[in-house]
Amino acid sequence: MFLKSKRYLIVLRYSFWESRSLFSSFLKKTMSYYFDQQLRSSIEHILLPDVQLPGQYIGGELGQIVKPAESVCGRLCFAFPDSYPIGMSNTALLHLYTIMNRKDDWSCERVFCPYPDMETKLRENNLPLYSLETFSPLAVFDVVGFTFQYELCYSNVLTMLDLGRIPLHRWERTEFDPLIIAGGPGVFNPEPMSHFIDAFVIGDGEESLQEICQFWKKLKQEEKIADFTAESYRSRASEISGTFSDSNFIQTFADYDPNRYRLNEGKRRKMLLAVAREFPWVYVPEFYEVHFDAQGRASRPRPFIDGVPEFISPAIVKRLDDFPPAEMPIVPLVESVQDRVSIEIMRGCPQKCRFCQSSPIKRPLRFRSIDQIVKTATKATAQSGVPDVTLLSLSSSEYPKFEELMNSLRHSLDCGVSISVPSLRVNHQLSDVMRNLTTERSSGITMAPEAAFDAMRKRIAKKVTNDDLVNGCRAAFENGFYRIKMYFMCGFQNETEKDVDGIIQLCEEIAKLGKEIRGRFPTIVANVSNFVPKPQTPLQWNAMATADYFREAHFRLKRNKRLKSVEVKYHDLKTSLLEGLLTRGDRRVGDVIETAWRNGARFDAWSDYFRNEYWQTAIESTGIDVNLLVHTEYPTESELPWDHITVYCGKEKLLKEFNESKLN
């Protein structure tokens, strides 16, 4: 039976926490756990009464996994560099958490970035950042793995390392510190964070994460490196600062030598070299050097030691069904951004939009079977009590047997469970897709035409026509939907005023169509982002438009809007420009990130916390040339700072697509 209200679900969650406390007391009498009771007590009694959303810091959720200490040989902490409500909505985190915990001899725990109020309390009380499952300080784990989902979370990575009592820079760590790895879309240009990460895992994580963790543990055993316990950690705590790390990082761009910092010869360097030589999909920046041309642009990093791969190729999982999603997802203790059961049904995208980074880095195209999707959705909703299922992919409606999948889900799921498809392809089939969706829990749909006219879409290889878009919206209105969100971009190369004005024109035409069908104006939301040419895309050679250009585009969007039912939202310009630097930068940008963090940068993806002055001061103090790195086009024959990282389709294919974009 389904829980009929979220209020009842919340009561159940906190009742579970109370029962878990009683159960923990029983377990202590029967088996040993990695559980730091002293730290937990300090957190509960000293910190939690004075911080917002304390439920995000206590763990104990329905569905979390805690293993007896004697049953595991290695421990991984999955670190999400954003808040708990954001991280608990991330499908990749929960998927890899489940996969690692399916290994009998490994445990995987979670940690999220604390809000500034919690960070302050931890520092004031000299307490470390800890995992939610066992309240273990980050420094006692064998491996700490970050996921880089968004570049504006980079400053949070430094917060978590420092609070976790792990030396900030990779060259400061010893064999007693955890291996710090990172994966996700951000690692396809790893250079800006290469000062802080030991090894970047490129590509799919289902197999690669298990392999690198197992290999690192084997190296530790061969080198006879003992594991830390909570007690041994506390005895060492006096050696590790509880405040900001003390470091002598380069402050000026002119004197910067990206190859200056290396680990001393020793066990950790030997172990990292073994990792770099073992896995073709792992990039270990310790063994690569960077040079600069006369203009000041970085070449691609090159290995300076034998046996290390010159190019890093992504790990690729052949069959998604070999790694089924969790049938008992973790149910958050506080409301998350996406409080639903999310199932990845397809990886990769049939379309090849030239601006999209997700398409090339997630190729080839793979599908999860209908049987596995239905089985997971049925069990996960029944066991968690969450009455919403989301089918995830870059273009879910292009799943090969989409109609059969929807029918199977409706037949198998309890009545009252809603099914949402957030990624709808705007094509000739959109009208049919609309008829397969319902408005049980959502009255809106989301589409991504990206541009207002077919000519611009042809240049960016977005296979959408206005006829298909209008017909799809017509079907949506006829089937009860009255809110449509559409994603656009501005700042494409060769964009004209007509292209910008057309965004409002198209939205108002669709609003008028809705009034014809429904008798009143529907809500049309135009969400306009500022185009950032991402690494590993066909448009990576393009320059990002300037701040002045975007200001003018935003002004035109506001000036041209006439209908109240049309809402226009556009991304904050300052954060978009910062994103351009962080995603297109080279190894030197690491000093900008660190300087901004020391200035106070935290949660830069959040408007409430973002302070542009911290970043501008960092840019000025380091002397970084933002115009060169962000707003200057790359010649196609030049090397790019991320060229040592490859994608499935290869750079030649990206270059071919780039050249074709100029012909349209």
Side-chain angles (χ1 to χ4, degrees):
M1 271 229 18
F2 272 96
L3 303 173
K4 297 300 182 182
S5 72
K6 289 190 176 180
R7 183 176 301 174
Y8 182 39
L9 179 57
I10 292 171
V11 171
L12 174 61
R13 292 174 186 173
Y14 282 100
S15 297
F16 176 78
W17 170 250
E18 294 172 1
S19 63
R20 179 183 177 276
S21 299
L22 297 174
F23 188 54
S24 296
S25 301
F26 169 74
L27 287 177
K28 288 178 183 177
K29 300 177 182 178
T30 59
M31 57 184 69
S32 173
Y33 281 81
Y34 292 110
F35 197 89
D36 192 332
Q37 184 62 48
Q38 181 177 333
L39 178 56
R40 174 187 164 183
S41 179
S42 298
I43 296 297
E44 289 182 340
H45 294 98
I46 299 176
L47 306 183
L48 295 186
D50 299 318
V51 298
Q52 62 175 323
L53 290 178
Q56 65 186 311
Y57 301 119
I58 60 176
E61 306 101 322
L62 181 66
Q64 79 161 25
I65 301 170
V66 183
K67 294 184 176 181
E70 61 270 16
S71 71
V72 299
C73 71
R75 303 177 70 196
L76 163 70
C77 192
F78 199 119
F80 195 92
D82 208 325
S83 68
Y84 177 96
I86 299 293
M88 287 302 295
S89 301
N90 184 263
T91 305
L93 182 154
L94 299 176
H95 184 50
L96 294 175
Y97 175 88
T98 300
I99 288 171
M100 284 301 299
N101 277 314
R102 283 178 182 149
K103 291 181 64 66
D104 294 336
D105 57 347
W106 271 81
S107 66
C108 180
E109 304 183 28
R110 298 160 297 139
V111 65
F112 302 90
C113 189
Y115 286 122
D117 62 340
M118 180 64 164
E119 178 189 349
T120 299
K121 287 295 181 180
L122 289 172
R123 294 191 187 282
E124 288 176 351
N125 291 275
N126 197 28
L127 294 173
L129 187 61
Y130 53 89
S131 68
L132 292 183
E133 277 73 11
T134 64
F135 283 77
S136 297
L138 298 195
V140 309
F141 285 88
D142 297 293
V143 181
V144 174
F146 287 91
T147 178
F148 289 172
Q149 298 292 323
Y150 186 34
E151 293 85 354
L152 266 64
C153 292
Y154 285 167
S155 61
N156 289 348
V157 174
L158 275 59
T159 299
M160 297 173 75
L161 288 172
D162 195 56
L163 286 175
R165 310 289 173 84
I166 298 170
L168 209 61
H169 304 108
R170 54 177 169 76
W171 56 82
E172 296 172 334
R173 297 172 194 142
T174 72
E175 65 270 23
F176 298 108
D177 293 302
L179 174 69
I180 307 301
I181 63 176
V187 305
F188 281 84
N189 177 18
E191 291 308 290
M193 289 296 288
S194 61
H195 286 353
F196 317 108
I197 304 299
D198 294 319
F200 295 88
V201 181
I202 312 298
D204 296 333
E206 286 91 340
E207 294 172 321
S208 58
L209 181 59
Q210 297 181 67
E211 291 180 22
I212 193 172
C213 287
Q214 202 74 32
F215 189 72
W216 184 256
K217 187 64 180 183
K218 174 187 172 186
L219 293 173
K220 287 183 67 174
Q221 292 170 345
E222 290 175 352
E223 297 295 334
K224 297 180 171 57
I225 300 172
D227 293 328
F228 274 124
T229 62
E231 290 73 19
S232 62
Y233 171 81
R234 274 192 283 272
S235 67
R236 183 178 178 245
S238 60
E239 304 171 16
I240 308 173
S241 172
T243 58
F244 294 109
S245 303
D246 183 21
S247 65
N248 298 313
F249 63 99
I250 295 296
Q251 295 276 347
T252 58
F253 179 77
D255 299 330
Y256 184 83
D257 177 6
N259 309 308
R260 174 176 177 179
Y261 296 110
R262 302 243 184 263
L263 268 170
N264 294 325
E265 294 293 339
K267 290 183 177 180
R268 189 176 185 88
R269 195 168 197 268
K270 176 182 176 182
M271 293 160 66
L272 286 173
L273 181 57
V275 170
R277 287 172 170 169
E278 179 71 15
F279 303 114
W281 33 260
V282 171
Y283 169 53
V284 183
E286 173 75 20
F287 305 107
Y288 293 75
E289 58 187 1
V290 180
H291 298 283
F292 301 88
D293 61 21
Q295 193 179 8
R297 277 183 155 167
S299 64
R300 68 171 171 84
R302 286 173 165 80
F304 61 84
I305 196 166
D306 292 340
V308 176
E310 186 171 357
F311 295 95
I312 313 299
S313 55
I316 295 174
V317 168
K318 295 181 180 179
R319 280 174 37 88
L320 296 186
D321 277 3
D322 291 341
F323 301 94
E327 294 178 354
M328 180 57 245
I330 302 175
V331 181
L333 286 177
V334 301
E335 185 175 0
S336 60
V337 175
Q338 299 291 338
D339 197 1
R340 60 194 62 180
V341 173
S342 299
I343 303 173
E344 182 191 33
I345 65 172
M346 178 172 69
R347 189 170 300 176
C349 184
Q351 308 300 319
K352 299 176 182 178
C353 303
R354 291 172 179 145
F355 61 86
C356 178
Q357 186 188 57
S358 295
S359 178
I361 70 175
K362 291 182 181 296
R363 293 176 190 163
L365 191 62
R366 290 146 290 170
F367 309 97
R368 198 176 298 281
S369 69
I370 291 178
D371 288 344
Q372 189 174 92
I373 296 169
V374 172
K375 177 184 176 184
T376 301
T378 303
K379 290 193 174 182
T381 52
Q383 295 188 81
S384 67
V386 177
D388 302 281
V389 174
T390 297
L391 306 180
L392 294 180
S393 81
L394 295 176
S395 181
S396 298
S397 57
E398 289 192 287
Y399 183 84
K401 299 179 180 179
F402 181 75
E403 187 171 349
E404 180 182 343
L405 171 61
M406 294 295 290
N407 289 334
S408 296
L409 285 170
R410 287 201 189 94
H411 178 75
S412 302
L413 294 173
D414 286 0
C415 61
V417 176
S418 69
I419 305 169
S420 60
V421 184
S423 305
L424 296 177
R425 173 64 59 187
V426 182
N427 60 16
H428 65 282
Q429 296 176 320
L430 183 59
S431 299
D432 295 331
V433 172
M434 288 297 103
R435 298 183 183 97
N436 276 307
L437 300 178
T438 68
T439 57
E440 288 174 2
R441 296 184 186 276
S442 175
S443 59
I445 59 172
T446 300
M447 304 177 185
E450 307 299 353
F453 297 112
D454 295 348
M456 175 58 78
R457 296 193 196 107
K458 187 176 181 181
R459 285 200 290 272
I460 63 177
K462 183 75 177 183
K463 297 179 181 179
V464 172
T465 67
N466 278 355
D467 287 343
D468 290 335
L469 180 64
V470 170
N471 290 334
C473 291
R474 181 188 301 276
F477 296 138
E478 291 173 347
N479 284 274
F481 292 94
Y482 57 85
R483 179 182 175 88
I484 295 179
K485 179 188 292 185
M486 292 193 289
Y487 285 100
F488 296 92
M489 289 186 181
C490 65
F492 288 120
Q493 195 171 50
N494 301 320
E495 186 175 76
T496 65
E497 292 180 351
K498 179 182 176 182
D499 290 310
V500 177
D501 296 342
I503 294 174
I504 300 301
Q505 178 185 335
L506 177 61
C507 291
E508 293 192 341
E509 287 178 2
I510 292 174
K512 292 174 183 177
L513 173 65
K515 187 175 187 301
E516 290 178 12
I517 296 171
R518 296 180 50 83
R520 60 187 178 90
F521 281 110
T523 299
I524 309 296
V525 180
N527 199 316
V528 185
S529 62
N530 307 307
F531 174 59
V532 179
K534 290 281 188 173
Q536 312 296 353
T537 69
L539 301 186
Q540 63 184 345
W541 289 274
N542 281 346
M544 184 178 179
T546 63
D548 288 341
Y549 178 87
F550 286 121
R551 289 192 191 98
E552 175 62 22
H554 295 170
F555 173 75
R556 296 187 71 87
L557 291 169
K558 289 190 295 184
R559 184 186 65 186
N560 292 336
K561 189 176 83 71
R562 295 291 183 268
L563 296 180
K564 291 183 179 180
S565 63
V566 174
E567 300 176 12
V568 181
K569 300 179 180 180
Y570 44 82
H571 288 197
D572 179 74
L573 177 55
K574 293 176 182 178
T575 57
S576 294
L577 294 171
L578 176 59
E579 180 185 347
L581 175 62
L582 297 180
T583 194
R584 296 177 60 80
D586 55 46
R587 194 170 288 194
R588 296 168 294 190
V589 174
D591 286 344
V592 178
I593 296 170
E594 184 174 346
T595 305
W597 174 75
R598 292 181 184 279
N599 290 343
R602 302 290 190 276
F603 285 91
D604 297 295
W606 295 55
S607 59
D608 291 348
Y609 295 106
F610 176 67
R611 298 292 181 269
N612 189 55
E613 60 269 21
Y614 296 154
W615 289 94
Q616 292 307 310
T617 300
I619 289 169
E620 292 170 6
S621 66
T622 56
I624 202 83
D625 190 342
V626 175
N627 185 65
L628 179 65
L629 296 183
V630 181
H631 304 297
T632 304
E633 184 172 335
Y634 275 99
T636 55
E637 66 275 9
S638 67
E639 289 187 348
L640 304 173
W642 50 85
D643 269 352
H644 56 307
I645 308 297
T646 64
V647 290
Y648 179 77
C649 60
K651 186 178 179 181
E652 296 76 14
K653 177 65 174 176
L654 298 179
L655 182 57
K656 179 182 177 182
E657 289 287 323
F658 173 69
N659 290 329
E660 289 181 0
S661 73
K662 293 193 168 186
L663 299 177
N664 295 320

